[in-house]
Short mmCIF file of all heavy atoms in Angstrom, two decimals:
data_model
loop_
_atom_site.label_atom_id
_atom_site.label_comp_id
_atom_site.label_asym_id
_atom_site.label_seq_id
_atom_site.Cartn_x
_atom_site.Cartn_y
_atom_site.Cartn_z
N ALA A 135 -15.58 29.10 21.24
CA ALA A 135 -16.60 29.89 20.57
C ALA A 135 -17.14 30.97 21.50
O ALA A 135 -17.46 30.72 22.66
CB ALA A 135 -17.74 29.00 20.11
N GLU A 136 -17.23 32.18 20.98
CA GLU A 136 -17.85 33.27 21.74
C GLU A 136 -19.32 32.95 21.98
O GLU A 136 -19.85 33.17 23.08
CB GLU A 136 -17.70 34.59 20.98
CG GLU A 136 -18.20 35.79 21.75
CD GLU A 136 -17.92 37.09 21.03
OE1 GLU A 136 -17.03 37.11 20.14
OE2 GLU A 136 -18.57 38.09 21.33
N ASP A 137 -20.01 32.46 20.95
CA ASP A 137 -21.38 32.00 21.08
C ASP A 137 -21.45 30.59 20.48
O ASP A 137 -21.55 30.43 19.27
CB ASP A 137 -22.32 32.94 20.31
CG ASP A 137 -23.78 32.49 20.35
OD1 ASP A 137 -24.08 31.55 21.12
OD2 ASP A 137 -24.60 33.07 19.64
N PRO A 138 -21.42 29.55 21.32
CA PRO A 138 -21.30 28.18 20.80
C PRO A 138 -22.47 27.73 19.94
O PRO A 138 -22.28 26.87 19.07
CB PRO A 138 -21.20 27.34 22.08
CG PRO A 138 -20.77 28.29 23.13
CD PRO A 138 -21.37 29.60 22.77
N GLY A 139 -23.63 28.31 20.15
CA GLY A 139 -24.79 27.96 19.31
C GLY A 139 -25.00 26.46 19.21
O GLY A 139 -25.03 25.74 20.21
N GLN A 140 -25.13 25.96 17.98
CA GLN A 140 -25.42 24.56 17.77
C GLN A 140 -24.19 23.76 17.31
O GLN A 140 -24.33 22.68 16.73
CB GLN A 140 -26.58 24.42 16.77
CG GLN A 140 -27.86 25.04 17.29
CD GLN A 140 -29.07 24.66 16.46
OE1 GLN A 140 -29.04 23.73 15.68
NE2 GLN A 140 -30.14 25.40 16.65
N TYR A 141 -23.01 24.26 17.59
CA TYR A 141 -21.81 23.49 17.31
C TYR A 141 -21.75 22.25 18.19
O TYR A 141 -22.26 22.25 19.33
CB TYR A 141 -20.54 24.30 17.58
CG TYR A 141 -20.23 25.36 16.54
CD1 TYR A 141 -20.36 26.70 16.82
CD2 TYR A 141 -19.79 25.00 15.26
CE1 TYR A 141 -20.07 27.68 15.88
CE2 TYR A 141 -19.48 25.97 14.32
CZ TYR A 141 -19.63 27.31 14.62
OH TYR A 141 -19.33 28.27 13.71
N GLY A 142 -21.10 21.20 17.71
CA GLY A 142 -20.79 20.07 18.56
C GLY A 142 -19.76 20.47 19.61
O GLY A 142 -18.89 21.30 19.35
N ARG A 143 -19.87 19.90 20.81
CA ARG A 143 -19.00 20.23 21.91
C ARG A 143 -17.91 19.17 22.07
O ARG A 143 -18.18 17.97 21.97
CB ARG A 143 -19.77 20.37 23.20
CG ARG A 143 -20.93 21.36 23.20
CD ARG A 143 -20.55 22.75 22.70
NE ARG A 143 -21.48 23.77 23.19
CZ ARG A 143 -22.51 24.24 22.50
NH1 ARG A 143 -22.75 23.78 21.27
NH2 ARG A 143 -23.32 25.15 23.01
N ILE A 144 -16.67 19.62 22.31
CA ILE A 144 -15.56 18.71 22.54
C ILE A 144 -15.43 18.49 24.05
O ILE A 144 -15.25 19.43 24.82
CB ILE A 144 -14.24 19.29 21.98
CG1 ILE A 144 -14.33 19.42 20.45
CG2 ILE A 144 -13.06 18.41 22.37
CD1 ILE A 144 -13.10 20.04 19.81
N ILE A 145 -15.53 17.25 24.44
CA ILE A 145 -15.35 16.88 25.85
C ILE A 145 -13.91 16.43 25.99
O ILE A 145 -13.52 15.37 25.48
CB ILE A 145 -16.32 15.75 26.26
CG1 ILE A 145 -17.76 16.04 25.76
CG2 ILE A 145 -16.28 15.53 27.75
CD1 ILE A 145 -18.36 17.34 26.30
N ALA A 146 -13.11 17.22 26.68
CA ALA A 146 -11.68 16.98 26.76
C ALA A 146 -11.19 17.06 28.19
O ALA A 146 -11.81 17.72 29.05
CB ALA A 146 -10.91 17.98 25.88
N THR A 147 -10.05 16.40 28.46
CA THR A 147 -9.42 16.53 29.75
C THR A 147 -8.56 17.78 29.74
O THR A 147 -8.33 18.41 28.72
CB THR A 147 -8.54 15.30 30.06
OG1 THR A 147 -7.45 15.30 29.12
CG2 THR A 147 -9.34 14.02 29.90
N GLY A 148 -8.00 18.10 30.91
CA GLY A 148 -7.20 19.31 31.04
C GLY A 148 -5.92 19.28 30.25
O GLY A 148 -5.30 20.31 30.02
N VAL A 149 -5.47 18.10 29.82
CA VAL A 149 -4.19 18.02 29.09
C VAL A 149 -4.42 17.91 27.58
O VAL A 149 -3.50 17.62 26.84
CB VAL A 149 -3.38 16.80 29.57
CG1 VAL A 149 -2.92 17.00 31.01
CG2 VAL A 149 -4.16 15.50 29.43
N GLY A 150 -5.65 18.16 27.12
CA GLY A 150 -5.93 18.21 25.68
C GLY A 150 -6.33 16.89 25.07
O GLY A 150 -6.49 16.81 23.85
N THR A 151 -6.48 15.85 25.87
CA THR A 151 -6.98 14.57 25.34
C THR A 151 -8.49 14.64 25.19
O THR A 151 -9.19 15.00 26.13
CB THR A 151 -6.59 13.41 26.27
OG1 THR A 151 -5.17 13.34 26.33
CG2 THR A 151 -7.14 12.10 25.74
N VAL A 152 -8.96 14.30 24.03
CA VAL A 152 -10.40 14.34 23.75
C VAL A 152 -11.02 13.01 24.15
O VAL A 152 -10.58 11.95 23.72
CB VAL A 152 -10.68 14.64 22.27
CG1 VAL A 152 -12.17 14.66 21.98
CG2 VAL A 152 -10.04 15.98 21.88
N GLU A 153 -12.07 13.09 24.97
CA GLU A 153 -12.79 11.88 25.35
C GLU A 153 -13.88 11.55 24.34
O GLU A 153 -14.06 10.41 23.96
CB GLU A 153 -13.39 12.07 26.76
CG GLU A 153 -12.37 12.22 27.87
CD GLU A 153 -11.48 11.00 28.01
OE1 GLU A 153 -11.95 9.87 27.73
OE2 GLU A 153 -10.29 11.16 28.35
N ARG A 154 -14.58 12.58 23.90
CA ARG A 154 -15.66 12.36 22.93
C ARG A 154 -16.12 13.71 22.42
O ARG A 154 -15.77 14.76 22.96
CB ARG A 154 -16.83 11.59 23.53
CG ARG A 154 -17.48 12.27 24.71
CD ARG A 154 -18.42 11.32 25.46
NE ARG A 154 -18.92 11.94 26.67
CZ ARG A 154 -20.06 12.64 26.75
NH1 ARG A 154 -20.81 12.77 25.65
NH2 ARG A 154 -20.46 13.19 27.86
N ILE A 155 -16.90 13.68 21.37
CA ILE A 155 -17.57 14.87 20.83
C ILE A 155 -19.05 14.60 20.87
O ILE A 155 -19.52 13.54 20.43
CB ILE A 155 -17.10 15.19 19.40
CG1 ILE A 155 -15.61 15.51 19.40
CG2 ILE A 155 -17.90 16.34 18.82
CD1 ILE A 155 -15.02 15.67 18.01
N VAL A 156 -19.80 15.54 21.36
CA VAL A 156 -21.25 15.37 21.42
C VAL A 156 -21.91 16.44 20.56
O VAL A 156 -21.60 17.64 20.67
CB VAL A 156 -21.77 15.43 22.88
CG1 VAL A 156 -21.41 16.73 23.56
CG2 VAL A 156 -23.28 15.21 22.93
N GLU A 157 -22.80 16.02 19.67
CA GLU A 157 -23.51 16.97 18.81
C GLU A 157 -24.54 17.73 19.67
O GLU A 157 -25.05 17.23 20.67
CB GLU A 157 -24.21 16.26 17.67
CG GLU A 157 -23.26 15.55 16.72
CD GLU A 157 -22.31 16.50 16.02
OE1 GLU A 157 -22.67 17.67 15.83
OE2 GLU A 157 -21.20 16.08 15.67
N TYR A 158 -24.84 18.94 19.25
CA TYR A 158 -25.69 19.83 20.06
C TYR A 158 -27.02 19.18 20.38
O TYR A 158 -27.47 19.21 21.53
CB TYR A 158 -25.92 21.13 19.29
CG TYR A 158 -26.85 22.09 20.03
CD1 TYR A 158 -26.37 22.91 21.04
CD2 TYR A 158 -28.21 22.15 19.70
CE1 TYR A 158 -27.23 23.75 21.73
CE2 TYR A 158 -29.06 23.01 20.36
CZ TYR A 158 -28.57 23.81 21.38
OH TYR A 158 -29.40 24.66 22.05
N ARG A 159 -27.66 18.57 19.40
CA ARG A 159 -29.01 18.05 19.65
C ARG A 159 -28.99 16.81 20.55
O ARG A 159 -30.03 16.45 21.09
CB ARG A 159 -29.70 17.72 18.32
CG ARG A 159 -29.07 16.63 17.50
CD ARG A 159 -29.86 16.39 16.22
NE ARG A 159 -29.70 17.52 15.30
CZ ARG A 159 -30.39 17.64 14.16
NH1 ARG A 159 -31.27 16.74 13.81
NH2 ARG A 159 -30.20 18.69 13.38
N ASP A 160 -27.80 16.21 20.72
CA ASP A 160 -27.69 15.06 21.61
C ASP A 160 -27.08 15.44 22.97
O ASP A 160 -26.93 14.57 23.83
CB ASP A 160 -26.81 13.97 20.97
CG ASP A 160 -27.40 13.46 19.68
OD1 ASP A 160 -28.58 13.06 19.69
OD2 ASP A 160 -26.70 13.49 18.65
N ALA A 161 -26.74 16.71 23.14
CA ALA A 161 -26.01 17.15 24.33
C ALA A 161 -26.97 17.46 25.49
O ALA A 161 -28.11 17.89 25.29
CB ALA A 161 -25.18 18.38 24.02
N THR A 162 -26.49 17.26 26.71
CA THR A 162 -27.22 17.67 27.89
C THR A 162 -27.04 19.17 28.08
O THR A 162 -26.17 19.82 27.47
CB THR A 162 -26.70 16.94 29.13
OG1 THR A 162 -25.34 17.35 29.35
CG2 THR A 162 -26.74 15.41 28.92
N SER A 163 -27.82 19.77 28.97
CA SER A 163 -27.69 21.19 29.23
C SER A 163 -26.31 21.51 29.80
O SER A 163 -25.74 22.58 29.50
CB SER A 163 -28.77 21.65 30.22
OG SER A 163 -28.69 20.90 31.42
N GLN A 164 -25.73 20.61 30.57
CA GLN A 164 -24.40 20.80 31.11
C GLN A 164 -23.35 20.78 29.98
O GLN A 164 -22.43 21.62 29.97
CB GLN A 164 -24.10 19.71 32.14
CG GLN A 164 -22.90 19.98 33.02
CD GLN A 164 -22.79 18.98 34.14
OE1 GLN A 164 -23.28 17.84 34.04
NE2 GLN A 164 -22.13 19.36 35.23
N GLU A 165 -23.52 19.86 29.04
CA GLU A 165 -22.58 19.79 27.91
C GLU A 165 -22.74 20.99 26.99
O GLU A 165 -21.74 21.48 26.43
CB GLU A 165 -22.81 18.49 27.15
CG GLU A 165 -22.34 17.26 27.92
CD GLU A 165 -22.85 15.96 27.32
OE1 GLU A 165 -23.88 15.98 26.59
OE2 GLU A 165 -22.23 14.91 27.58
N ARG A 166 -23.96 21.49 26.84
CA ARG A 166 -24.17 22.67 25.99
C ARG A 166 -23.52 23.92 26.57
O ARG A 166 -23.29 24.89 25.84
CB ARG A 166 -25.66 22.89 25.77
CG ARG A 166 -26.30 21.85 24.87
CD ARG A 166 -27.79 22.08 24.71
NE ARG A 166 -28.39 21.04 23.86
CZ ARG A 166 -29.68 21.00 23.51
NH1 ARG A 166 -30.50 21.91 23.94
NH2 ARG A 166 -30.12 20.03 22.74
N ALA A 167 -23.24 23.92 27.84
CA ALA A 167 -22.59 25.07 28.46
C ALA A 167 -21.10 25.15 28.12
O ALA A 167 -20.46 26.17 28.33
CB ALA A 167 -22.77 25.01 29.98
N ILE A 168 -20.56 24.06 27.58
CA ILE A 168 -19.14 24.04 27.20
C ILE A 168 -18.94 24.92 25.94
O ILE A 168 -19.74 24.87 25.00
CB ILE A 168 -18.69 22.58 26.90
CG1 ILE A 168 -18.75 21.75 28.16
CG2 ILE A 168 -17.29 22.56 26.28
CD1 ILE A 168 -18.56 20.26 27.93
N LYS A 169 -17.87 25.71 25.95
CA LYS A 169 -17.62 26.60 24.82
C LYS A 169 -16.51 26.12 23.89
O LYS A 169 -16.21 26.77 22.87
CB LYS A 169 -17.27 28.01 25.34
CG LYS A 169 -18.47 28.73 25.96
CD LYS A 169 -18.20 30.20 26.15
CE LYS A 169 -19.46 30.93 26.57
NZ LYS A 169 -19.24 32.42 26.66
N PHE A 170 -15.90 25.00 24.22
CA PHE A 170 -14.87 24.42 23.36
C PHE A 170 -15.58 23.55 22.32
O PHE A 170 -16.17 22.52 22.63
CB PHE A 170 -13.87 23.59 24.17
CG PHE A 170 -12.66 23.18 23.38
CD1 PHE A 170 -12.06 24.02 22.46
CD2 PHE A 170 -12.10 21.92 23.58
CE1 PHE A 170 -10.93 23.64 21.74
CE2 PHE A 170 -10.97 21.53 22.87
CZ PHE A 170 -10.37 22.39 21.95
N CYS A 171 -15.54 24.00 21.07
CA CYS A 171 -16.41 23.43 20.02
C CYS A 171 -15.60 22.74 18.94
O CYS A 171 -14.41 23.00 18.75
CB CYS A 171 -17.26 24.54 19.39
SG CYS A 171 -18.43 25.28 20.55
N ASN A 172 -16.30 21.89 18.22
CA ASN A 172 -15.70 21.09 17.15
C ASN A 172 -15.85 21.79 15.81
O ASN A 172 -16.97 22.15 15.41
CB ASN A 172 -16.39 19.71 17.12
CG ASN A 172 -15.97 18.89 15.92
OD1 ASN A 172 -14.80 18.89 15.55
ND2 ASN A 172 -16.92 18.18 15.34
N SER A 173 -14.76 21.95 15.09
CA SER A 173 -14.82 22.54 13.75
C SER A 173 -15.24 21.51 12.71
O SER A 173 -15.64 21.86 11.60
CB SER A 173 -13.46 23.12 13.36
OG SER A 173 -12.53 22.07 13.09
N GLY A 174 -15.07 20.22 13.04
CA GLY A 174 -15.34 19.15 12.10
C GLY A 174 -14.10 18.68 11.36
O GLY A 174 -14.13 17.64 10.70
N ILE A 175 -13.02 19.44 11.42
CA ILE A 175 -11.79 19.10 10.70
C ILE A 175 -10.98 18.12 11.53
O ILE A 175 -10.72 18.34 12.71
CB ILE A 175 -11.00 20.38 10.37
CG1 ILE A 175 -11.82 21.27 9.44
CG2 ILE A 175 -9.65 20.05 9.74
CD1 ILE A 175 -11.26 22.64 9.23
N ILE A 176 -10.59 17.02 10.90
CA ILE A 176 -9.95 15.90 11.61
C ILE A 176 -8.78 15.38 10.79
O ILE A 176 -8.82 15.36 9.57
CB ILE A 176 -10.98 14.76 11.81
CG1 ILE A 176 -12.07 15.19 12.78
CG2 ILE A 176 -10.31 13.48 12.29
CD1 ILE A 176 -13.17 14.16 12.98
N ALA A 177 -7.73 14.96 11.50
CA ALA A 177 -6.59 14.28 10.88
C ALA A 177 -6.38 12.95 11.57
O ALA A 177 -6.49 12.84 12.79
CB ALA A 177 -5.33 15.13 10.99
N ALA A 178 -6.07 11.91 10.77
CA ALA A 178 -5.83 10.59 11.33
C ALA A 178 -5.12 9.76 10.28
O ALA A 178 -5.14 10.07 9.09
CB ALA A 178 -7.15 9.91 11.72
N SER A 179 -4.48 8.67 10.74
CA SER A 179 -3.94 7.75 9.75
C SER A 179 -5.11 7.12 9.00
O SER A 179 -6.17 6.86 9.57
CB SER A 179 -3.10 6.68 10.43
OG SER A 179 -3.92 5.70 11.05
N THR A 180 -4.92 6.90 7.71
CA THR A 180 -6.04 6.42 6.88
C THR A 180 -6.58 5.07 7.36
O THR A 180 -7.80 4.91 7.44
CB THR A 180 -5.58 6.36 5.40
OG1 THR A 180 -5.11 7.65 5.03
CG2 THR A 180 -6.74 5.96 4.51
N PRO A 181 -5.73 4.08 7.68
CA PRO A 181 -6.31 2.82 8.15
C PRO A 181 -7.13 2.97 9.42
O PRO A 181 -8.22 2.36 9.54
CB PRO A 181 -5.07 1.94 8.38
CG PRO A 181 -4.01 2.52 7.51
CD PRO A 181 -4.27 4.01 7.52
#
Side-chain angles (χ1 to χ4, degrees):
E136 185 175 341
D137 178 9
Q140 297 192 16
Y141 285 110
R143 304 307 203 264
I144 296 177
I145 313 300
T147 67
V149 293
T151 298
V152 178
E153 295 298 328
R154 60 193 174 91
I155 297 173
V156 58
E157 297 299 332
Y158 177 82
R159 64 179 70 187
D160 298 307
T162 65
S163 58
Q164 194 172 25
E165 289 167 338
R166 290 178 180 181
I168 295 170
K169 290 194 171 184
F170 190 39
C171 295
N172 172 39
S173 72
I175 297 170
I176 292 176
S179 77
T180 305

